[in-house]
Amino acid sequence: MPEKKEKYYLTTPIYYTNGLPHIGHTYTTVVCDTIRRFKRMRGYDVVMTTGTDEHGVNVERAAKKAGIPESEFVAKMASEWRALWDELGVAADEFVRTTDIQHVRTVQWLFRLFKENGYVYKGHYTGQYCIYDNAFVNDAKPGDNCPDCGRPTETVTEENYFFRLSAFQKPLLDFYKKNPDFIQPETRKNEVVSFVEGGLKDLSITRTTLRWGIPVPGEEPHVFYVWFDALTAYLSAVGGPDYEKRGYWPADLHVVGKDIIRFHTVYWPAFLMAAMLPLPKQVWAHGWFLMDAAKMSKSKGNVVLPRPIANMLGMDALRYFLLREVVFGQDGNFSYDALVTRYNSDLANGLGNLASRTVALIEKNFAGKIPKSGPRQPQDDALAKEVQAAIGEVLERYDKMEFARALETMWSVIGAADKYLTAEQPWALGSSEADQAREATILWTAAELLRVVVALANPVLPATAAKVWILLGQAGSLDSFGLDGLRWGQLAPGAQLGKAQTLFPRVDKAEAIERIESMANEELNPKPAAPVAASDPAAAGTVAAASAPATTTPEKIGIEDFSKVEMRVGQVKTAERIVGADKLLKLTVDIGSEVRQICAGIAQFYEPESLIGRKVVVVVNLAPRKLRGVESNGMIVAASVGPDGRPVLAGFLEDVEVGARLK
Ligand code: ME8
């Protein structure tokens, strides 16, 4: 581990705010979060930046469509992006908005440096412009489509400031030669080098046709070109003109998709050279997640959203899938089928099953304390050797951004442990001293293997790894555990295990996919808010009577309004928890004329078994709706009690007939 913490700075792209994050954005952000966690576990002082790219014609149009001023629109979008990253557990250390004042100052400062150093001049430009990519399309004729996104270009003529990109052809080629690892992967590097070798035209970096942008000081109506604006955000996030004080610039790594590699490996280093600022050390361009062989995009309507998947299977499952399924750098297809298959096979049956088997046996036969390993047999040593070798291999693979291979190595160790347990059958051993000693060795070996695997897997599966760490009775946070000190054999006997829990409950594939799709549908096409203000439990299928006296006098309704609400006595037939929805119970309720499925937001306060046979009040004429992807046909009435709104189910003091109407 470095003595004084070495600094490490990495970035995701600064995402556009004309839409909300889908699986593609989540992928880049998860990759960065994984590297951040990995570097921290190796002792680095890491800063990760993400942010929102808020200027440009696309945003201007989106705001217009929403009928609100641009500043209001971008503030709302930025807060939604930020909230989603928080919810998914991948919030960056710095979140930069390109409308932040610090960023605006940095952009204007950089432009001043260009001017001082003689790299800008005024001129006119007429060309075909792609408003979707915010870029002039080189060599395109009127009527041509954009070669990147395939949509029509527009002819634009304007007075611009030009950046002397042509002056940087040789310096860039020299830079690539001197820094052979600057562009990754290698295939992308070859593309960029041949593009630059083909000659560079000067680049217009201001616009007069656009209003919504950072003003060029003293040159109104010029505003800066969005790409110049957005790239600069990497620098403004860590101090802007005062970057030396914070000490994180130059960036160690920009992670981007292959669509924006040219901006990062040609324009951005040229801008920094022109300003005589240090250049980033590496740009890594990964491939795309495709849906039915096409790149996902909101305008095509083929996006996959991260939240429904995280709700259904957990965020760790999504992280695992994204990093395991596709070789980093290549394109890959996204399919729910493959996602759920991997969840069940690698997570539920693989890691989850190994952890629960091992912990249950230690619980049962060693009073929940890690046993002391007895005499070892060759197969124990062989497994130990395999795990020790895997440690070095996994660290190297993470370092090379080979996430899929790193996980493959970890899962081959899990597979070896399964085989080992099946062959050694610790559960079949008796109570003789020799058998007990043998069982202790086997279970210590399995527990030690688990400890090593979750320490290695922590950058990818932080929530799961933390659970297993506690299960194994390990002290301290795994996030600050030093990966470089990880060795086979460090598991001390005697540690008290944590409470057993299921890490990844198995799911039925068809049902899981249906629920994810249905939640995605709800998110993409939100229904207008219900007319009755719904407290949390109400939204989850229970009607809550207010616990506190109302502060304003509610409007009175006539009996004819009340009689529109049909409430009947129901009897709960079955009740079960819902995977991926901690607060919900799925009930079937007999309402006299039929048996209904109803979801109720009472899981944190009522055990499912305690409800069976119970008579409840049901609002039966509510339109059906889906909650967390599960159909709910009615509402159970409950009082909402105390500051946390604990639901208390309405009931009767004497027996009542199922189906009776409440009036
Ligand atoms: O380009 N597969 O923002 P953006 C994998 N604002 N990754 C994907 C993806 C997919 N299908 N779709 C998007 C912009 N991405 C500019 C960036 S940076 C100074 C300015 C990821 O919102 C991938 O990282 O269009 C891609 O490069 C990025 O999102 C594009 O995000």
Side-chain angles (χ1 to χ4, degrees), residues 26-46:
T26 310
Y27 180 48
T28 318
T29 307
V30 161
V31 163
C32 287
D33 181 61
T34 300
I35 300 167
R36 167 173 57 172
R37 291 174 189 273
F38 175 67
K39 289 284 177 190
R40 286 203 173 131
M41 289 180 83
R42 300 198 84 174
Y44 286 85
D45 163 10
V46 189

Side-chain angles (χ1 to χ4, degrees), residues 5 13 75 108 157 184 241 250 265 269 282 307 363 466 484 630 663:
K5 279 194 170 184
Q108 294 174 339
T157 299
Q184 293 291 326
T265 57
Q282 193 169 65
R307 188 184 271 125
E363 204 60 71
D484 291 329
V630 180
K663 292 185 176 172

Side-chain angles (χ1 to χ4, degrees), residues 213-490:
I214 297 180
V216 181
E219 296 283 352
E220 291 78 8
H222 283 265
V223 298
F224 289 108
Y225 168 48
V226 278
W227 270 100
F228 169 56
D229 168 349
L231 287 161
T232 306
Y234 296 140
L235 184 57
S236 49
V238 287
D242 293 327
Y243 70 90
E244 276 168 318
K245 265 194 217 145
R246 282 198 61 190
Y248 288 97
W249 191 262
D252 292 276
L253 180 65
H254 294 310
V255 182
V256 298
K258 65 180 185 181
D259 45 333
I260 55 176
I261 188 157
R262 196 176 289 173
F263 297 101
H264 285 79
T265 57
V266 182
Y267 300 176
W268 182 224
F271 292 157
L272 292 165
M273 283 177 183
M276 293 179 189
L277 291 170
L279 268 51
K281 295 181 193 152
Q282 193 169 65
V283 176
W284 235 105
H286 62 67
W288 286 337
F289 263 103
L290 308 171
M291 243 340 226
D292 307 323
K295 184 177 179 243
M296 262 174 237
S297 86
K298 189 145 190 209
S299 54
K300 288 190 207 137
N302 62 347
V303 292
V304 173
L305 301 180
R307 188 184 271 125
I309 298 173
N311 283 344
M312 179 69 210
L313 302 175
M315 186 57 192
D316 276 10
L318 176 57
R319 295 171 70 107
Y320 177 81
F321 178 76
L322 292 175
L323 295 178
R324 177 69 185 82
E325 189 69 4
V326 176
V327 171
F328 191 64
Q330 295 178 8
D331 288 350
N333 219 34
F334 188 94
S335 98
Y336 286 128
D337 196 288
L339 166 75
V340 181
T341 301
R342 274 216 184 273
Y343 171 88
N344 276 334
S345 68
D346 298 10
L347 298 176
N349 289 354
L351 177 59
N353 189 34
L354 177 65
S356 62
R357 274 215 282 184
T358 307
V359 166
L361 283 169
I362 297 178
E363 204 60 71
K364 183 160 160 246
N365 298 334
F366 294 94
K369 285 203 166 70
I370 302 278
K372 186 168 171 6
S373 172
R376 290 196 310 267
Q377 295 186 2
Q379 62 275 30
D380 311 325
D381 288 335
L383 189 59
K385 211 166 147 204
E386 188 177 338
V387 178
Q388 183 60 46
I391 296 175
E393 212 172 288
V394 169
L395 297 191
E396 193 184 325
R397 290 183 168 174
Y398 271 129
D399 255 338
K400 292 187 177 158
M401 313 273 274
E402 294 173 354
F403 306 109
R405 298 191 67 196
L407 290 167
E408 208 177 281
T409 304
M410 290 178 239
W411 258 255
S412 82
V413 163
I414 292 174
D418 278 337
K419 276 203 197 112
Y420 170 81
L421 288 179
T422 307
E424 299 304 313
Q425 307 214 346
W427 49 87
L429 290 166
S431 53
S432 71
E433 211 170 290
D435 272 8
Q436 281 289 293
R438 182 69 201 133
E439 189 176 352
T441 305
I442 298 167
L443 292 180
W444 178 87
T445 303
E448 171 61 345
L449 181 143
L450 260 179
R451 183 189 71 94
V452 172
V453 166
V454 297
L456 290 172
N458 187 49
V460 181
L461 302 172
T464 310
K467 278 188 203 160
V468 176
W469 200 245
I470 293 168
L471 263 184
L472 292 174
Q474 299 301 293
S477 155
L478 195 43
D479 292 341
S480 50
F481 178 85
L483 267 185
D484 291 329
L486 181 65
R487 303 271 180 284
W488 177 267
Q490 292 164 326

